[in-house]
């Protein structure tokens, strides 16, 4: 990976669950999103390991296809649902 690339869980679904304080798309808090670029790679990886469990606690899931999902689908040749 290019050292200038900032690894990110962002899937371009940026909306915060009012009950948990987590983004519906990535599972981060607003403070974590704002500070992400300043985190060390190790800190980002540690936080990313927590995100799947956080996403299980949000009240709803994104309703639209995310950019990452669309790109993966296009690479595989699948058609949208």
């Amino acid at each position: 990976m290019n050292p200038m690339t900032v690894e990110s869980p962002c899937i371009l679904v940026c909306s915060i669950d009012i009950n948990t304080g987590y983004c519906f798309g990535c599972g981060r808090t607003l403070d974590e999103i704002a500070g992400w670029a300043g985190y060390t790679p190790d800190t980002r990886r540690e936080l990313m390991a927590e995100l799947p469990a956080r996403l299980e606690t949000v009240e709803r899931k994104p309703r639209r296809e995310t950019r990452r999902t669309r790109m993966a689908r296009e690479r595989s040749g699948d058609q949208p649902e």
Side-chain angles (χ1 to χ4, degrees):
M1 179 178 353
N2 178 338
M4 296 304 290
T5 301
V6 177
E7 183 178 19
S8 173
C10 181
I11 61 169
L12 303 177
V13 176
C14 304
S15 184
I16 302 298
D17 177 16
I18 197 163
N19 294 319
T20 63
Y22 299 141
C23 173
F24 292 116
C26 69
R28 296 178 292 171
T29 65
L30 285 174
D31 288 340
E32 290 165 344
I33 292 167
W36 194 257
Y39 293 168
T40 65
D42 286 339
T43 300
R44 288 193 297 265
R45 278 189 287 278
E46 288 171 12
L47 184 54
M48 286 179 71
E50 297 175 22
L51 298 180
R54 287 184 183 185
L55 286 170
E56 292 296 319
T57 69
V58 296
E59 294 296 315
R60 66 176 172 83
K61 302 295 183 210
R63 285 185 242 159
R64 67 180 177 91
E65 181 178 44
T66 65
R67 186 176 81 163
R68 285 190 181 167
T69 303
R70 186 188 77 241
M71 290 169 60
R73 178 180 46 78
E74 290 171 353
R75 279 193 297 271
S76 71
D78 291 343
Q79 295 300 315
E81 296 178 0

